[in-house]
């Protein structure tokens, strides 16, 4: 019941239309895809939809629009939870598309913002946050429940856009091009 509530809420916000994923593949240079997913962190319920663009020539992925829904039981201040959802969506996009800790034989080599890239303000997707209120349930907290859903939604959107699956994050241009080449879609 609670999973269905967040899935329905995010689908309605995104005007989701069910269809077979990767059914409308294109050979255009820039292709688009949508993905949907569920996720949790500890004890609340999250869902997300991601809309992305993939440049098949450069391997660049842009998350253009993300929707997130969270159900955490009784809600006291929905504005704070909306802000939390927005942060989760942007954080997930940054982690999935850019962030990666790198190592040498002696330790961590990603020690600054140049060697550990993050999503910049201009790269952040437009977001829509939906708080599913369950005033009849005890509050379970609004931590990071939509992060996993948002990451999976981006991965599902990539499959929808390209018909290829990525098995490693972040979804760097090099990994995207390798996945497209492997699947014969490059």
């Amino acid at each position: 019941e609670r999973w269905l509530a967040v899935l329905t809420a995010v689908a309605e916000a995104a005007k989701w239309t069910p269809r077979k994923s990767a059914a409308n593949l294109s050979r255009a240079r820039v292709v688009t895809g949508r993905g949907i997913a569920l996720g949790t962190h500890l004890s609340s319920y999250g869902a997300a939809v991601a809309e992305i663009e993939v440049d098949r020539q450069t391997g660049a992925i842009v998350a253009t629009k993300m929707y997130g829904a969270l159900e955490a039981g009784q809600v006291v201040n929905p504005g704070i939870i909306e802000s939390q959802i927005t942060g989760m969506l942007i954080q997930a996009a940054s982690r999935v598309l850019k962030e990666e800790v790198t190592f040498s034989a002696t330790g961590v080599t990603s020690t600054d913002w140049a060697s550990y890239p993050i999503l910049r303000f201009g790269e952040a997707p437009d977001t829509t946050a939906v708080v599913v209120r369950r005033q009849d349930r005890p509050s379970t907290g609004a931590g990071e429940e939509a992060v996993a859903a948002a990451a999976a939604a981006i991965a599902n959107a990539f499959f929808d856009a390209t018909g290829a699956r990525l098995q490693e994050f972040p979804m760097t241009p090099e990994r995207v091009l390798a996945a497209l080449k492997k699947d014969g879609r490059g």
Side-chain angles (χ1 to χ4, degrees):
E1 169 188 342
R2 296 176 87 178
W3 285 117
L4 187 56
V6 290
L7 185 61
T8 300
V10 81
E12 287 176 357
K15 296 179 178 37
W16 184 267
T17 303
R19 63 174 171 75
K20 183 177 178 186
S21 192
N24 299 315
L25 296 177
S26 167
R27 298 302 268 166
R29 177 177 172 167
V30 177
V31 293
T32 61
R34 291 184 96 196
I36 192 167
L38 294 168
T40 190
H41 179 248
L42 293 173
S43 57
S44 298
Y45 302 83
V49 168
E51 297 176 358
I52 67 166
E53 295 176 349
V54 181
D55 185 321
R56 293 176 54 246
Q57 186 174 345
T58 66
I61 297 175
V62 175
T64 56
K65 177 72 179 174
M66 296 191 68
Y67 303 82
L70 181 72
E71 193 265 277
Q74 184 179 25
V75 173
V76 176
N77 187 335
I80 289 176
I81 297 175
E82 287 172 358
S83 294
Q84 183 71 2
I85 295 167
T86 297
M88 285 185 256
L89 297 174
I90 293 170
Q91 180 185 32
S94 185
R95 284 182 178 176
V96 169
L97 300 178
K98 293 199 167 208
E99 296 180 34
E100 182 172 29
V101 176
T102 55
F103 300 89
S104 70
T106 59
V108 174
T109 59
S110 48
T111 57
D112 56 29
W113 296 122
S115 58
Y116 185 83
I118 63 169
L119 216 59
R120 302 294 185 198
F121 285 124
E123 300 170 306
D126 183 30
T127 61
T128 298
V130 180
V131 178
V132 178
R133 293 178 172 213
R134 292 297 304 264
Q135 302 305 88
D136 61 322
R137 302 256 185 185
S139 179
T140 55
E144 296 185 348
E145 282 68 22
V147 171
I154 292 170
N156 289 337
F158 178 77
F159 176 75
D160 182 49
T162 66
R165 289 277 185 201
L166 276 168
Q167 303 297 322
E168 188 176 1
F169 295 101
M171 297 171 133
T172 61
E174 298 78 20
R175 289 177 179 147
V176 167
L177 293 174
L180 295 176
K181 183 177 180 183
K182 177 183 170 190
D183 285 0
R185 301 180 192 283

